[in-house]
Amino acid sequence: WLKSICSSLAHPLQPSTPSSAAMLRSSVKRGGGGGIIDKMIPGYQDKIWAALPKGIKEYRVKSENDAFESGIASHKRWQGVFLSWKETEKGFAPSQKYRKPAVDWRRQMERGTMHYGRWYEGPAGSDYTPGKTVDRLDNVKEPFTDAEWAERKNYRSWDIMKLGYAGLALFLAYRVTNEWPVVWCEEDKEAKAL
């Protein structure tokens, strides 16, 4: 068969006889030629293919098809594995049974289901819910009623101003009663001469 290849290469214009196996091989013709050998010997790949024995042609076609089909089979196998994993993922979804029964405050206000927290007894009949609040800064000169002020005096700690004055008095007494050293720098007569 090597003789037939060499003879077909020697006579490039002689048409080769088409065989039934030659139809199994598909050659893609792309623009640009395909290389220097194709320019020197046009259609050399088809001539080599035509000169190959039928068994080799069938083997080459079968191996190429098997490689393609093995990729598809591998894809199908992995697809089955991944789809089985996807089935188990459905079990990881959080159950409505254990969901947190909480809605953020913006949605509650929009739905009209806003819960403003615990009820507190505030001053002047307020309970610190919207529309029922009292601003203590409205009366800055007398923020507490006489009853509240009397109650606060029961838990009053020592006045911070008195503590500050006592600390300042201790500091001044310490400064007045202690002697502060004075450092005299004696200049050396020899250093002055230099």
PDB file of all heavy atoms in Angstrom, residues 45-78:
ATOM      1  N   GLN A  45      -3.909  14.803   1.713  1.00  0.00           N
ATOM      2  CA  GLN A  45      -4.549  14.018   2.779  1.00  0.00           C
ATOM      3  C   GLN A  45      -5.608  13.073   2.212  1.00  0.00           C
ATOM      4  O   GLN A  45      -5.715  11.920   2.636  1.00  0.00           O
ATOM      5  CB  GLN A  45      -5.176  14.954   3.807  1.00  0.00           C
ATOM      6  CG  GLN A  45      -4.129  15.708   4.617  1.00  0.00           C
ATOM      7  CD  GLN A  45      -4.755  16.696   5.578  1.00  0.00           C
ATOM      8  OE1 GLN A  45      -5.810  17.233   5.291  1.00  0.00           O
ATOM      9  NE2 GLN A  45      -4.077  16.942   6.685  1.00  0.00           N
ATOM     10  N   ASP A  46      -6.370  13.556   1.241  1.00  0.00           N
ATOM     11  CA  ASP A  46      -7.374  12.682   0.609  1.00  0.00           C
ATOM     12  C   ASP A  46      -6.713  11.537  -0.149  1.00  0.00           C
ATOM     13  O   ASP A  46      -7.232  10.418  -0.173  1.00  0.00           O
ATOM     14  CB  ASP A  46      -8.256  13.493  -0.352  1.00  0.00           C
ATOM     15  CG  ASP A  46      -9.106  14.515   0.393  1.00  0.00           C
ATOM     16  OD1 ASP A  46      -9.431  14.246   1.568  1.00  0.00           O
ATOM     17  OD2 ASP A  46      -9.443  15.565  -0.189  1.00  0.00           O
ATOM     18  N   LYS A  47      -5.570  11.825  -0.748  1.00  0.00           N
ATOM     19  CA  LYS A  47      -4.862  10.776  -1.490  1.00  0.00           C
ATOM     20  C   LYS A  47      -4.312   9.716  -0.540  1.00  0.00           C
ATOM     21  O   LYS A  47      -4.366   8.521  -0.833  1.00  0.00           O
ATOM     22  CB  LYS A  47      -3.737  11.384  -2.317  1.00  0.00           C
ATOM     23  CG  LYS A  47      -4.269  12.241  -3.461  1.00  0.00           C
ATOM     24  CD  LYS A  47      -3.170  12.959  -4.170  1.00  0.00           C
ATOM     25  CE  LYS A  47      -3.771  13.903  -5.208  1.00  0.00           C
ATOM     26  NZ  LYS A  47      -2.772  14.722  -5.842  1.00  0.00           N
ATOM     27  N   ILE A  48      -3.786  10.184   0.601  1.00  0.00           N
ATOM     28  CA  ILE A  48      -3.287   9.217   1.593  1.00  0.00           C
ATOM     29  C   ILE A  48      -4.444   8.381   2.123  1.00  0.00           C
ATOM     30  O   ILE A  48      -4.348   7.167   2.271  1.00  0.00           O
ATOM     31  CB  ILE A  48      -2.536   9.937   2.740  1.00  0.00           C
ATOM     32  CG1 ILE A  48      -1.249  10.570   2.210  1.00  0.00           C
ATOM     33  CG2 ILE A  48      -2.245   8.997   3.886  1.00  0.00           C
ATOM     34  CD1 ILE A  48      -0.519  11.419   3.218  1.00  0.00           C
ATOM     35  N   TRP A  49      -5.565   9.049   2.381  1.00  0.00           N
ATOM     36  CA  TRP A  49      -6.739   8.338   2.886  1.00  0.00           C
ATOM     37  C   TRP A  49      -7.254   7.314   1.880  1.00  0.00           C
ATOM     38  O   TRP A  49      -7.625   6.210   2.248  1.00  0.00           O
ATOM     39  CB  TRP A  49      -7.832   9.346   3.223  1.00  0.00           C
ATOM     40  CG  TRP A  49      -9.059   8.713   3.788  1.00  0.00           C
ATOM     41  CD1 TRP A  49     -10.219   8.486   3.131  1.00  0.00           C
ATOM     42  CD2 TRP A  49      -9.237   8.190   5.103  1.00  0.00           C
ATOM     43  NE1 TRP A  49     -11.131   7.865   3.936  1.00  0.00           N
ATOM     44  CE2 TRP A  49     -10.534   7.675   5.186  1.00  0.00           C
ATOM     45  CE3 TRP A  49      -8.413   8.099   6.222  1.00  0.00           C
ATOM     46  CZ2 TRP A  49     -11.038   7.076   6.325  1.00  0.00           C
ATOM     47  CZ3 TRP A  49      -8.923   7.528   7.358  1.00  0.00           C
ATOM     48  CH2 TRP A  49     -10.226   7.012   7.428  1.00  0.00           C
ATOM     49  N   ALA A  50      -7.237   7.685   0.620  1.00  0.00           N
ATOM     50  CA  ALA A  50      -7.717   6.767  -0.416  1.00  0.00           C
ATOM     51  C   ALA A  50      -6.797   5.561  -0.544  1.00  0.00           C
ATOM     52  O   ALA A  50      -7.229   4.462  -0.907  1.00  0.00           O
ATOM     53  CB  ALA A  50      -7.830   7.496  -1.749  1.00  0.00           C
ATOM     54  N   ALA A  51      -5.501   5.753  -0.250  1.00  0.00           N
ATOM     55  CA  ALA A  51      -4.544   4.665  -0.405  1.00  0.00           C
ATOM     56  C   ALA A  51      -4.513   3.728   0.802  1.00  0.00           C
ATOM     57  O   ALA A  51      -3.941   2.641   0.719  1.00  0.00           O
ATOM     58  CB  ALA A  51      -3.153   5.247  -0.630  1.00  0.00           C
ATOM     59  N   LEU A  52      -5.105   4.146   1.920  1.00  0.00           N
ATOM     60  CA  LEU A  52      -5.080   3.287   3.111  1.00  0.00           C
ATOM     61  C   LEU A  52      -5.977   2.072   2.917  1.00  0.00           C
ATOM     62  O   LEU A  52      -7.001   2.146   2.237  1.00  0.00           O
ATOM     63  CB  LEU A  52      -5.566   4.078   4.333  1.00  0.00           C
ATOM     64  CG  LEU A  52      -4.612   5.134   4.890  1.00  0.00           C
ATOM     65  CD1 LEU A  52      -5.286   5.910   6.023  1.00  0.00           C
ATOM     66  CD2 LEU A  52      -3.330   4.515   5.390  1.00  0.00           C
ATOM     67  N   PRO A  53      -5.602   0.937   3.510  1.00  0.00           N
ATOM     68  CA  PRO A  53      -6.457  -0.250   3.427  1.00  0.00           C
ATOM     69  C   PRO A  53      -7.787  -0.014   4.153  1.00  0.00           C
ATOM     70  O   PRO A  53      -7.895   0.832   5.035  1.00  0.00           O
ATOM     71  CB  PRO A  53      -5.645  -1.340   4.119  1.00  0.00           C
ATOM     72  CG  PRO A  53      -4.267  -0.835   4.236  1.00  0.00           C
ATOM     73  CD  PRO A  53      -4.326   0.652   4.187  1.00  0.00           C
ATOM     74  N   LYS A  54      -8.786  -0.789   3.775  1.00  0.00           N
ATOM     75  CA  LYS A  54     -10.125  -0.626   4.320  1.00  0.00           C
ATOM     76  C   LYS A  54     -10.168  -0.854   5.834  1.00  0.00           C
ATOM     77  O   LYS A  54     -10.860  -0.145   6.561  1.00  0.00           O
ATOM     78  CB  LYS A  54     -11.073  -1.596   3.617  1.00  0.00           C
ATOM     79  CG  LYS A  54     -12.507  -1.455   4.039  1.00  0.00           C
ATOM     80  CD  LYS A  54     -13.391  -2.412   3.289  1.00  0.00           C
ATOM     81  CE  LYS A  54     -14.821  -2.263   3.775  1.00  0.00           C
ATOM     82  NZ  LYS A  54     -15.708  -3.198   3.122  1.00  0.00           N
ATOM     83  N   GLY A  55      -9.385  -1.795   6.336  1.00  0.00           N
ATOM     84  CA  GLY A  55      -9.364  -2.087   7.773  1.00  0.00           C
ATOM     85  C   GLY A  55      -8.865  -0.903   8.597  1.00  0.00           C
ATOM     86  O   GLY A  55      -9.423  -0.587   9.662  1.00  0.00           O
ATOM     87  N   ILE A  56      -7.820  -0.242   8.088  1.00  0.00           N
ATOM     88  CA  ILE A  56      -7.267   0.913   8.819  1.00  0.00           C
ATOM     89  C   ILE A  56      -8.268   2.063   8.798  1.00  0.00           C
ATOM     90  O   ILE A  56      -8.460   2.760   9.799  1.00  0.00           O
ATOM     91  CB  ILE A  56      -5.908   1.329   8.222  1.00  0.00           C
ATOM     92  CG1 ILE A  56      -4.880   0.224   8.476  1.00  0.00           C
ATOM     93  CG2 ILE A  56      -5.430   2.639   8.811  1.00  0.00           C
ATOM     94  CD1 ILE A  56      -3.529   0.486   7.882  1.00  0.00           C
ATOM     95  N   LYS A  57      -8.928   2.248   7.631  1.00  0.00           N
ATOM     96  CA  LYS A  57      -9.921   3.319   7.544  1.00  0.00           C
ATOM     97  C   LYS A  57     -11.060   3.079   8.533  1.00  0.00           C
ATOM     98  O   LYS A  57     -11.470   4.003   9.256  1.00  0.00           O
ATOM     99  CB  LYS A  57     -10.491   3.388   6.123  1.00  0.00           C
ATOM    100  CG  LYS A  57      -9.535   3.927   5.090  1.00  0.00           C
ATOM    101  CD  LYS A  57     -10.228   3.914   3.748  1.00  0.00           C
ATOM    102  CE  LYS A  57      -9.275   4.342   2.650  1.00  0.00           C
ATOM    103  NZ  LYS A  57      -9.905   4.282   1.337  1.00  0.00           N
ATOM    104  N   GLU A  58     -11.538   1.845   8.567  1.00  0.00           N
ATOM    105  CA  GLU A  58     -12.627   1.538   9.485  1.00  0.00           C
ATOM    106  C   GLU A  58     -12.194   1.712  10.941  1.00  0.00           C
ATOM    107  O   GLU A  58     -12.952   2.203  11.778  1.00  0.00           O
ATOM    108  CB  GLU A  58     -13.125   0.109   9.242  1.00  0.00           C
ATOM    109  CG  GLU A  58     -13.903  -0.028   7.948  1.00  0.00           C
ATOM    110  CD  GLU A  58     -14.282  -1.469   7.647  1.00  0.00           C
ATOM    111  OE1 GLU A  58     -13.821  -2.372   8.388  1.00  0.00           O
ATOM    112  OE2 GLU A  58     -15.016  -1.691   6.679  1.00  0.00           O
ATOM    113  N   TYR A  59     -10.931   1.310  11.237  1.00  0.00           N
ATOM    114  CA  TYR A  59     -10.414   1.456  12.593  1.00  0.00           C
ATOM    115  C   TYR A  59     -10.338   2.933  12.987  1.00  0.00           C
ATOM    116  O   TYR A  59     -10.731   3.313  14.096  1.00  0.00           O
ATOM    117  CB  TYR A  59      -9.036   0.801  12.710  1.00  0.00           C
ATOM    118  CG  TYR A  59      -8.336   1.117  14.003  1.00  0.00           C
ATOM    119  CD1 TYR A  59      -8.725   0.504  15.195  1.00  0.00           C
ATOM    120  CD2 TYR A  59      -7.303   2.048  14.051  1.00  0.00           C
ATOM    121  CE1 TYR A  59      -8.106   0.798  16.389  1.00  0.00           C
ATOM    122  CE2 TYR A  59      -6.679   2.360  15.236  1.00  0.00           C
ATOM    123  CZ  TYR A  59      -7.080   1.730  16.405  1.00  0.00           C
ATOM    124  OH  TYR A  59      -6.464   2.032  17.594  1.00  0.00           O
ATOM    125  N   ARG A  60      -9.832   3.779  12.080  1.00  0.00           N
ATOM    126  CA  ARG A  60      -9.703   5.212  12.381  1.00  0.00           C
ATOM    127  C   ARG A  60     -11.072   5.861  12.601  1.00  0.00           C
ATOM    128  O   ARG A  60     -11.259   6.638  13.523  1.00  0.00           O
ATOM    129  CB  ARG A  60      -8.976   5.938  11.240  1.00  0.00           C
ATOM    130  CG  ARG A  60      -7.525   5.537  11.027  1.00  0.00           C
ATOM    131  CD  ARG A  60      -6.607   6.134  12.082  1.00  0.00           C
ATOM    132  NE  ARG A  60      -6.664   7.571  12.143  1.00  0.00           N
ATOM    133  CZ  ARG A  60      -5.919   8.391  11.406  1.00  0.00           C
ATOM    134  NH1 ARG A  60      -5.052   7.893  10.555  1.00  0.00           N
ATOM    135  NH2 ARG A  60      -6.034   9.688  11.542  1.00  0.00           N
ATOM    136  N   VAL A  61     -12.022   5.521  11.726  1.00  0.00           N
ATOM    137  CA  VAL A  61     -13.362   6.095  11.855  1.00  0.00           C
ATOM    138  C   VAL A  61     -14.012   5.608  13.153  1.00  0.00           C
ATOM    139  O   VAL A  61     -14.618   6.389  13.899  1.00  0.00           O
ATOM    140  CB  VAL A  61     -14.230   5.732  10.625  1.00  0.00           C
ATOM    141  CG1 VAL A  61     -15.687   6.089  10.861  1.00  0.00           C
ATOM    142  CG2 VAL A  61     -13.711   6.430   9.387  1.00  0.00           C
ATOM    143  N   LYS A  62     -13.852   4.305  13.433  1.00  0.00           N
ATOM    144  CA  LYS A  62     -14.464   3.751  14.642  1.00  0.00           C
ATOM    145  C   LYS A  62     -13.844   4.363  15.902  1.00  0.00           C
ATOM    146  O   LYS A  62     -14.552   4.691  16.859  1.00  0.00           O
ATOM    147  CB  LYS A  62     -14.290   2.230  14.650  1.00  0.00           C
ATOM    148  CG  LYS A  62     -14.991   1.545  15.808  1.00  0.00           C
ATOM    149  CD  LYS A  62     -14.815   0.043  15.714  1.00  0.00           C
ATOM    150  CE  LYS A  62     -15.510  -0.686  16.828  1.00  0.00           C
ATOM    151  NZ  LYS A  62     -15.257  -0.205  18.146  1.00  0.00           N
ATOM    152  N   SER A  63     -12.517   4.550  15.892  1.00  0.00           N
ATOM    153  CA  SER A  63     -11.867   5.122  17.078  1.00  0.00           C
ATOM    154  C   SER A  63     -12.306   6.574  17.300  1.00  0.00           C
ATOM    155  O   SER A  63     -12.518   7.003  18.430  1.00  0.00           O
ATOM    156  CB  SER A  63     -10.347   5.028  16.960  1.00  0.00           C
ATOM    157  OG  SER A  63      -9.890   5.823  15.897  1.00  0.00           O
ATOM    158  N   GLU A  64     -12.468   7.321  16.200  1.00  0.00           N
ATOM    159  CA  GLU A  64     -12.915   8.715  16.341  1.00  0.00           C
ATOM    160  C   GLU A  64     -14.352   8.769  16.852  1.00  0.00           C
ATOM    161  O   GLU A  64     -14.679   9.564  17.749  1.00  0.00           O
ATOM    162  CB  GLU A  64     -12.804   9.414  14.986  1.00  0.00           C
ATOM    163  CG  GLU A  64     -12.927  10.921  15.084  1.00  0.00           C
ATOM    164  CD  GLU A  64     -12.552  11.624  13.781  1.00  0.00           C
ATOM    165  OE1 GLU A  64     -11.630  11.164  13.106  1.00  0.00           O
ATOM    166  OE2 GLU A  64     -13.221  12.618  13.479  1.00  0.00           O
ATOM    167  N   ASN A  65     -15.204   7.910  16.316  1.00  0.00           N
ATOM    168  CA  ASN A  65     -16.595   7.875  16.781  1.00  0.00           C
ATOM    169  C   ASN A  65     -16.689   7.394  18.222  1.00  0.00           C
ATOM    170  O   ASN A  65     -17.492   7.915  19.010  1.00  0.00           O
ATOM    171  CB  ASN A  65     -17.436   6.975  15.873  1.00  0.00           C
ATOM    172  CG  ASN A  65     -17.684   7.605  14.521  1.00  0.00           C
ATOM    173  OD1 ASN A  65     -17.531   8.812  14.350  1.00  0.00           O
ATOM    174  ND2 ASN A  65     -18.049   6.789  13.547  1.00  0.00           N
ATOM    175  N   ASP A  66     -15.863   6.389  18.575  1.00  0.00           N
ATOM    176  CA  ASP A  66     -15.888   5.884  19.952  1.00  0.00           C
ATOM    177  C   ASP A  66     -15.430   6.950  20.943  1.00  0.00           C
ATOM    178  O   ASP A  66     -15.964   7.043  22.058  1.00  0.00           O
ATOM    179  CB  ASP A  66     -15.006   4.643  20.080  1.00  0.00           C
ATOM    180  CG  ASP A  66     -15.642   3.423  19.414  1.00  0.00           C
ATOM    181  OD1 ASP A  66     -16.842   3.500  19.084  1.00  0.00           O
ATOM    182  OD2 ASP A  66     -14.934   2.406  19.223  1.00  0.00           O
ATOM    183  N   ALA A  67     -14.426   7.753  20.540  1.00  0.00           N
ATOM    184  CA  ALA A  67     -13.956   8.825  21.426  1.00  0.00           C
ATOM    185  C   ALA A  67     -15.068   9.844  21.655  1.00  0.00           C
ATOM    186  O   ALA A  67     -15.293  10.316  22.784  1.00  0.00           O
ATOM    187  CB  ALA A  67     -12.727   9.504  20.835  1.00  0.00           C
ATOM    188  N   PHE A  68     -15.798  10.170  20.572  1.00  0.00           N
ATOM    189  CA  PHE A  68     -16.902  11.119  20.689  1.00  0.00           C
ATOM    190  C   PHE A  68     -18.013  10.552  21.559  1.00  0.00           C
ATOM    191  O   PHE A  68     -18.534  11.220  22.456  1.00  0.00           O
ATOM    192  CB  PHE A  68     -17.425  11.454  19.282  1.00  0.00           C
ATOM    193  CG  PHE A  68     -18.573  12.411  19.279  1.00  0.00           C
ATOM    194  CD1 PHE A  68     -18.371  13.752  19.534  1.00  0.00           C
ATOM    195  CD2 PHE A  68     -19.862  11.968  19.028  1.00  0.00           C
ATOM    196  CE1 PHE A  68     -19.428  14.638  19.530  1.00  0.00           C
ATOM    197  CE2 PHE A  68     -20.929  12.839  19.029  1.00  0.00           C
ATOM    198  CZ  PHE A  68     -20.715  14.188  19.274  1.00  0.00           C
ATOM    199  N   GLU A  69     -18.355   9.300  21.323  1.00  0.00           N
ATOM    200  CA  GLU A  69     -19.450   8.691  22.072  1.00  0.00           C
ATOM    201  C   GLU A  69     -19.060   8.414  23.525  1.00  0.00           C
ATOM    202  O   GLU A  69     -19.910   8.415  24.418  1.00  0.00           O
ATOM    203  CB  GLU A  69     -19.903   7.408  21.385  1.00  0.00           C
ATOM    204  CG  GLU A  69     -20.656   7.689  20.089  1.00  0.00           C
ATOM    205  CD  GLU A  69     -20.947   6.438  19.293  1.00  0.00           C
ATOM    206  OE1 GLU A  69     -20.616   5.339  19.770  1.00  0.00           O
ATOM    207  OE2 GLU A  69     -21.513   6.576  18.202  1.00  0.00           O
ATOM    208  N   SER A  70     -17.760   8.174  23.772  1.00  0.00           N
ATOM    209  CA  SER A  70     -17.351   7.967  25.165  1.00  0.00           C
ATOM    210  C   SER A  70     -17.487   9.269  25.954  1.00  0.00           C
ATOM    211  O   SER A  70     -17.822   9.241  27.143  1.00  0.00           O
ATOM    212  CB  SER A  70     -15.908   7.467  25.232  1.00  0.00           C
ATOM    213  OG  SER A  70     -15.012   8.494  24.870  1.00  0.00           O
ATOM    214  N   GLY A  71     -17.268  10.422  25.276  1.00  0.00           N
ATOM    215  CA  GLY A  71     -17.496  11.709  25.949  1.00  0.00           C
ATOM    216  C   GLY A  71     -18.951  11.888  26.307  1.00  0.00           C
ATOM    217  O   GLY A  71     -19.287  12.365  27.405  1.00  0.00           O
ATOM    218  N   ILE A  72     -19.840  11.481  25.377  1.00  0.00           N
ATOM    219  CA  ILE A  72     -21.274  11.591  25.663  1.00  0.00           C
ATOM    220  C   ILE A  72     -21.660  10.646  26.799  1.00  0.00           C
ATOM    221  O   ILE A  72     -22.422  11.011  27.707  1.00  0.00           O
ATOM    222  CB  ILE A  72     -22.092  11.286  24.386  1.00  0.00           C
ATOM    223  CG1 ILE A  72     -21.853  12.370  23.344  1.00  0.00           C
ATOM    224  CG2 ILE A  72     -23.568  11.150  24.699  1.00  0.00           C
ATOM    225  CD1 ILE A  72     -22.487  12.088  22.008  1.00  0.00           C
ATOM    226  N   ALA A  73     -21.112   9.430  26.788  1.00  0.00           N
ATOM    227  CA  ALA A  73     -21.429   8.462  27.848  1.00  0.00           C
ATOM    228  C   ALA A  73     -20.924   8.964  29.201  1.00  0.00           C
ATOM    229  O   ALA A  73     -21.622   8.830  30.223  1.00  0.00           O
ATOM    230  CB  ALA A  73     -20.813   7.110  27.517  1.00  0.00           C
ATOM    231  N   SER A  74     -19.714   9.558  29.203  1.00  0.00           N
ATOM    232  CA  SER A  74     -19.174  10.099  30.454  1.00  0.00           C
ATOM    233  C   SER A  74     -20.054  11.242  30.960  1.00  0.00           C
ATOM    234  O   SER A  74     -20.336  11.347  32.155  1.00  0.00           O
ATOM    235  CB  SER A  74     -17.747  10.592  30.223  1.00  0.00           C
ATOM    236  OG  SER A  74     -17.270  11.283  31.332  1.00  0.00           O
ATOM    237  N   HIS A  75     -20.506  12.080  30.018  1.00  0.00           N
ATOM    238  CA  HIS A  75     -21.375  13.191  30.398  1.00  0.00           C
ATOM    239  C   HIS A  75     -22.681  12.673  31.002  1.00  0.00           C
ATOM    240  O   HIS A  75     -23.151  13.179  32.028  1.00  0.00           O
ATOM    241  CB  HIS A  75     -21.669  14.054  29.174  1.00  0.00           C
ATOM    242  CG  HIS A  75     -22.704  15.101  29.411  1.00  0.00           C
ATOM    243  ND1 HIS A  75     -22.446  16.234  30.136  1.00  0.00           N
ATOM    244  CD2 HIS A  75     -24.006  15.173  29.037  1.00  0.00           C
ATOM    245  CE1 HIS A  75     -23.547  16.963  30.188  1.00  0.00           C
ATOM    246  NE2 HIS A  75     -24.511  16.340  29.526  1.00  0.00           N
ATOM    247  N   LYS A  76     -23.247  11.626  30.383  1.00  0.00           N
ATOM    248  CA  LYS A  76     -24.499  11.065  30.898  1.00  0.00           C
ATOM    249  C   LYS A  76     -24.300  10.447  32.278  1.00  0.00           C
ATOM    250  O   LYS A  76     -25.156  10.573  33.158  1.00  0.00           O
ATOM    251  CB  LYS A  76     -25.034  10.005  29.933  1.00  0.00           C
ATOM    252  CG  LYS A  76     -25.710  10.589  28.718  1.00  0.00           C
ATOM    253  CD  LYS A  76     -26.300   9.480  27.873  1.00  0.00           C
ATOM    254  CE  LYS A  76     -27.058  10.050  26.683  1.00  0.00           C
ATOM    255  NZ  LYS A  76     -27.585   8.997  25.827  1.00  0.00           N
ATOM    256  N   ARG A  77     -23.149   9.785  32.470  1.00  0.00           N
ATOM    257  CA  ARG A  77     -22.875   9.173  33.762  1.00  0.00           C
ATOM    258  C   ARG A  77     -22.774  10.251  34.853  1.00  0.00           C
ATOM    259  O   ARG A  77     -23.391  10.141  35.916  1.00  0.00           O
ATOM    260  CB  ARG A  77     -21.586   8.353  33.685  1.00  0.00           C
ATOM    261  CG  ARG A  77     -21.342   7.513  34.928  1.00  0.00           C
ATOM    262  CD  ARG A  77     -20.101   6.671  34.811  1.00  0.00           C
ATOM    263  NE  ARG A  77     -18.896   7.476  34.794  1.00  0.00           N
ATOM    264  CZ  ARG A  77     -18.089   7.644  33.751  1.00  0.00           C
ATOM    265  NH1 ARG A  77     -18.355   7.041  32.607  1.00  0.00           N
ATOM    266  NH2 ARG A  77     -17.010   8.389  33.817  1.00  0.00           N
ATOM    267  N   TRP A  78     -21.987  11.320  34.568  1.00  0.00           N
ATOM    268  CA  TRP A  78     -21.835  12.386  35.555  1.00  0.00           C
ATOM    269  C   TRP A  78     -23.143  13.145  35.754  1.00  0.00           C
ATOM    270  O   TRP A  78     -23.428  13.614  36.856  1.00  0.00           O
ATOM    271  CB  TRP A  78     -20.730  13.357  35.134  1.00  0.00           C
ATOM    272  CG  TRP A  78     -19.382  12.840  35.485  1.00  0.00           C
ATOM    273  CD1 TRP A  78     -18.434  12.358  34.642  1.00  0.00           C
ATOM    274  CD2 TRP A  78     -18.837  12.726  36.792  1.00  0.00           C
ATOM    275  NE1 TRP A  78     -17.337  11.951  35.338  1.00  0.00           N
ATOM    276  CE2 TRP A  78     -17.556  12.173  36.662  1.00  0.00           C
ATOM    277  CE3 TRP A  78     -19.307  13.021  38.062  1.00  0.00           C
ATOM    278  CZ2 TRP A  78     -16.745  11.924  37.749  1.00  0.00           C
ATOM    279  CZ3 TRP A  78     -18.490  12.779  39.151  1.00  0.00           C
ATOM    280  CH2 TRP A  78     -17.225  12.236  38.987  1.00  0.00           C
TER     281      TRP A  78
END
